[in-house]
Amino acid sequence: MGRLKTEDIELVGQSGLFDEAWYLERHPEFIGPYAQPLRHYLEIGWRRGDAPSPYFDAAHYLESHPDVAAAGINPLLHYVRFGRAEGRAMRAMPQTDAAGGIAFSVILATYNRAGIIEDSIRSILAQTHRNFELIIVDDGSADGTEALVRE
């Protein structure tokens, strides 16, 4: 991906996957010399193995996607630019005891939301707690939402 560009910084910043306060709390050593935590992570932090937030597991992403690791690409930037659309997991899914039963249900109501339903489902499935069921209720969408959900 080469040199860091302003649009890369903006793209990652808008993704919601970089938590500035969380990052600063874990890496206070650079506050003085490096005033921009997001820029620090994108240029330096990821190379040191720093995590950008509790929501994105950069080490897992690189381990799971050797093509990204081999190319020397910032894992969070890759995920935001390409990985999300490719359906790549942004963190490891913990193993759970299937006998533990369902702890809760997530009910996702939708109507003509084909443009956003995939991101909504991915977001729910990316949660660390695994003992839940996802129930999607489509109120007769006419924009292909049902086909996307079935897929």
Side-chain angles (χ1 to χ4, degrees):
M1 289 194 181
R3 191 168 171 253
L4 188 62
K5 300 175 185 153
T6 302
E7 57 263 25
D8 293 337
I9 297 168
E10 291 172 1
L11 188 64
V12 172
Q14 294 168 358
S15 74
L17 293 173
F18 181 81
D19 186 328
E20 183 172 309
W22 186 89
Y23 190 79
L24 280 171
E25 184 178 301
R26 278 147 190 80
H27 309 289
E29 72 276 5
F30 75 85
I31 293 174
Y34 223 103
Q36 298 174 322
L38 176 55
R39 186 175 204 81
H40 178 273
Y41 171 75
L42 290 172
E43 292 179 351
I44 299 167
W46 77 275
R47 294 180 193 280
R48 297 185 334 179
D50 297 344
S53 73
Y55 314 111
F56 186 85
D57 186 342
H60 170 75
Y61 193 81
L62 291 173
E63 183 179 310
S64 299
H65 308 296
D67 58 319
V68 178
I73 299 171
N74 179 299
L76 180 54
L77 181 56
H78 182 274
Y79 177 78
V80 172
R81 290 179 99 197
F82 311 109
R84 180 181 291 149
E86 295 168 355
R88 296 185 189 219
M90 60 184 185
R91 66 177 165 193
M93 294 297 160
Q95 298 299 314
T96 60
D97 179 7
I102 294 172
F104 61 93
S105 299
V106 176
I107 301 172
L108 179 61
T110 184
Y111 175 73
N112 286 340
R113 296 290 185 242
I116 62 169
I117 193 75
E118 288 180 276
D119 282 344
S120 298
I121 293 169
R122 276 195 202 103
S123 175
I124 293 165
L125 296 177
Q127 302 307 304
T128 56
H129 186 81
R130 303 306 304 153
N131 290 346
F132 67 90
E133 65 181 346
L134 172 59
I135 301 169
I136 301 173
V137 180
D138 182 11
D139 194 19
S141 294
D143 67 344
T145 297
E146 181 182 352
L148 283 171
V149 168
R150 289 188 184 280
E151 189 180 300

